[in-house]
Amino acid sequence: MDLTSTEENYLKAIYHLSDGGKKSVSTNDIAAEMKTKAASVSDMLRKLGEKEVIEYRKYYGLQITDSGKRFALQTIRKHRLWEVFLVEKLNFAWDEVHEVAEQLEHIHSPLLIQRLDSYLNYPKFDPHGDPIPDEFGDVRARPRVQLNEMEVDQTGQIVAVKDSSAAFLRYLDKVGAYIGARIKVLDKVEFDGSLEILVDQKKTLFMSKDVSCNILVLQS
């Protein structure tokens, strides 16, 4: 069964909104995520239901099926592999790759993706720290906490970001908070939750709660 690029985008959104298929999502949630009208969403959900990649139960919302999960994970896998390729091989900045990968993820060639994965030496994470599903759809998770949840004197390593918008990534580049940086919380302001952190034992940064809640850390 083939899916259109739009159908793949909807499935990917439903997968993320449902926390990997663990919960139901509403039509309004999908409309907000896809930035479209509820009527358009309803029409697309009907098509996806006919292809048996989602199930809809009145009053309970919709859920992605096992088949739908496989399609969603394939699309996510392709997207994240292309992001790695663009950053590592074509010297794109991490804030430049999302839109290009959005186009490349819809290429339907399993052999191309297998060879891309091999060429990149089977990366486990994309440039934003998100795990890359393997060819069987398995995802390697690792325990992470939001930076704003850490306490004074706790240490860790920045491993991912929740907000992958270009503006946010450019801000992190500007202040020197990058994937892989070692950090220590020096102070936490009770009034607004802002943080003072030490990066790589040499640079002190002050971060608002809005910024720190979008940075994910592997605690040490």
Side-chain angles (χ1 to χ4, degrees):
M1 177 178 61
D2 291 328
L3 298 177
T4 67
S5 59
T6 302
E7 289 170 339
E8 288 180 339
N9 286 337
Y10 267 83
L11 265 187
K12 187 172 64 170
I14 294 168
Y15 178 84
H16 287 309
L17 288 168
S18 65
D19 190 20
K22 297 176 185 175
K23 60 184 181 182
S24 298
V25 296
S26 71
T27 301
N28 289 336
D29 290 336
I30 298 169
E33 179 71 13
M34 299 300 294
K35 297 179 176 60
T36 190
K37 297 179 181 179
S40 299
V41 172
S42 297
D43 184 54
M44 177 57 66
L45 296 183
R46 177 184 57 78
K47 295 177 182 178
L48 294 175
E50 290 172 353
K51 294 187 176 182
E52 300 183 346
V53 291
I54 64 165
E55 290 180 346
Y56 176 74
R57 294 175 60 197
K58 195 172 183 180
Y59 306 120
Y60 289 92
L62 64 94
Q63 286 187 311
I64 191 168
T65 65
D66 288 342
S67 173
K69 289 178 190 176
R70 287 194 294 272
F71 277 109
L73 286 165
Q74 287 171 9
T75 305
I76 292 167
R77 168 176 165 77
K78 289 186 286 183
H79 182 102
R80 294 177 179 173
L81 282 172
W82 283 120
E83 287 193 335
V84 175
F85 175 78
L86 292 167
V87 169
E88 292 190 358
K89 305 302 180 181
L90 298 186
N91 299 317
F92 277 71
W94 68 335
D95 62 282
E96 298 175 326
V97 295
H98 181 73
E99 290 186 3
V100 181
E102 282 283 317
Q103 300 171 52
L104 293 169
E105 72 183 31
H106 300 298
I107 297 174
H108 294 157
S109 172
L111 180 59
L112 172 63
I113 300 307
Q114 288 173 6
R115 293 189 176 178
L116 177 64
D117 195 17
S118 174
Y119 177 65
L120 296 171
N121 198 26
Y122 307 100
K124 301 300 182 185
F125 300 93
D126 74 8
H128 309 110
D130 292 315
I132 300 173
D134 66 18
E135 61 181 317
F136 305 107
D138 293 326
V139 181
R140 177 185 176 184
R142 54 184 173 185
R144 307 175 300 183
V145 298
Q146 293 178 185
L147 178 53
N148 66 296
E149 296 173 347
M150 295 176 65
E151 301 297 334
V152 174
D153 290 333
Q154 288 188 323
T155 61
Q157 183 178 32
I158 297 175
V159 293
V161 292
K162 291 178 65 178
D163 182 349
S164 57
S165 67
F168 184 69
L169 298 179
R170 285 195 295 268
Y171 170 78
L172 294 185
D173 280 339
K174 182 177 180 179
V175 300
Y178 61 95
I179 301 294
R182 303 292 308 181
I183 59 102
K184 179 179 181 179
V185 179
L186 300 178
D187 192 23
K188 191 170 189 176
V189 180
E190 182 179 357
F191 174 69
D192 61 0
S194 59
L195 298 177
E196 180 184 0
I197 65 170
L198 181 66
V199 180
D200 291 335
Q201 298 184 325
K202 58 185 179 181
K203 183 177 183 178
T204 301
L205 298 178
F206 295 90
M207 284 189 176
S208 69
K209 186 175 181 180
D210 285 344
V211 171
S212 62
C213 72
N214 279 295
I215 295 176
L216 298 175
V217 177
L218 181 66
Q219 288 185 274
S220 56

